[in-house]
Amino acid sequence: MKVGKFPPFTLPYPVLMRPRILVILSCLFAASLVLLATDPIRKRLLLPSSKTIITPVPGSPQPMGAFPVNVVVSPDQKYAAILEAGYGTIETELHQSIAILDFATNQITRYADPRLPLHAHQTFFLGIAWSSDSKHIYAPMASITDPAGNKSHKENDTDDPVDHTGNGIAVYSFADGKITPERFLKIPLQPLAKGKQRGSIHKEAPEGML
């Protein structure tokens, strides 16, 4: 009876590579710690998402305000306007804002609209636009609690006077990188189309209107 030879035992390739991968990752981690310890310019930046980034960040990104929903470049290609429609930040004193990015300096300036504090009846909507000459910015405002803008200041939950705009478009003049409020174009309530029903969020509007 002949006994055959068994093939030599070999480990799968992925199993052999695991120790090497662990050694490489350990070396990279150690090198990053040495770099942070020896380079005083670089530092750790904690993000609200619990993540950490190491500065300086490539591309020199700029911090955004609360809930940036839209960005539009000016027709002259010199600026970008960013609509920040969240509840605001410490910088804006909890007001919604429009941020302007200057492409020449890569710096951001902000205009916090005094009509849009935390307790306001109206809010920025989603759109933002430039005029063709880059001298005006347009941003819609909307309200479901006071769509016509008829409520008095006393009906706010605060003593601070706030303009009740209702629904409309805020018009801002723009020059030398700065925003200045100019006027407000009110959009009146519209009659509900025949056969249509309005949603419960529009209960503040008169019957048959939207």
Side-chain angles (χ1 to χ4, degrees):
M1 182 176 178
K2 295 182 179 180
V3 179
K5 293 182 179 181
F6 292 98
F9 177 74
T10 57
L11 290 173
Y13 182 74
V15 175
L16 291 173
M17 287 299 295
R18 287 175 186 170
R20 299 181 184 179
I21 294 174
L22 291 175
V23 170
I24 293 173
L25 291 177
S26 299
C27 292
L28 291 175
F29 179 71
S32 64
L33 292 179
V34 171
L35 179 61
L36 289 175
T38 57
D39 189 350
I41 299 178
R42 301 175 69 86
K43 61 181 180 179
R44 297 162 61 91
L45 181 63
L46 300 178
L47 301 178
S49 60
S50 77
K51 300 298 187 291
T52 302
I53 60 176
I54 307 300
T55 62
V57 181
S60 300
Q62 300 296 319
M64 289 287 91
F67 195 36
V69 294
N70 208 333
V71 54
V72 181
V73 177
S74 61
D76 61 11
Q77 304 292 303
K78 294 181 179 180
Y79 301 93
I82 303 105
L83 190 72
E84 299 173 334
Y87 289 117
T89 62
I90 294 177
E91 178 188 354
T92 62
E93 297 181 348
L94 301 183
H95 287 66
Q96 295 180 6
S97 56
I98 296 176
I100 297 295
L101 172 61
D102 187 334
F103 291 143
T105 63
N106 197 37
Q107 296 299 311
I108 280 185
T109 56
R110 270 188 180 81
Y111 173 75
D113 198 305
R115 297 166 291 190
L116 300 175
L118 188 62
H119 57 268
H121 283 282
Q122 60 273 350
T123 177
F124 275 140
F125 206 50
L126 300 180
I128 188 169
W130 291 86
S131 62
S132 58
D133 59 3
S134 302
K135 293 183 178 180
H136 289 87
I137 294 175
Y138 307 92
M141 291 186 189
S143 175
I144 59 175
T145 57
D146 186 18
N150 293 329
K151 291 187 176 181
S152 66
H153 297 321
K154 294 180 180 179
E155 294 180 71
N156 269 337
D157 296 330
T158 178
D159 294 330
D160 296 333
V162 176
D163 290 337
H164 292 261
T165 65
N167 299 335
I169 299 174
V171 182
Y172 306 91
S173 60
F174 183 81
D176 300 324
K178 295 182 180 181
I179 291 177
T180 304
E182 186 175 291
R183 63 188 187 278
F184 188 82
L185 305 176
K186 296 200 69 166
I187 298 178
L189 297 176
Q190 303 297 311
L192 194 64
K194 186 176 181 180
K196 300 294 183 179
Q197 293 183 346
R198 63 182 186 177
S200 58
I201 63 172
H202 302 293
K203 61 183 179 180
E204 295 292 337
E207 189 65 31
M209 304 295 288
L210 187 62

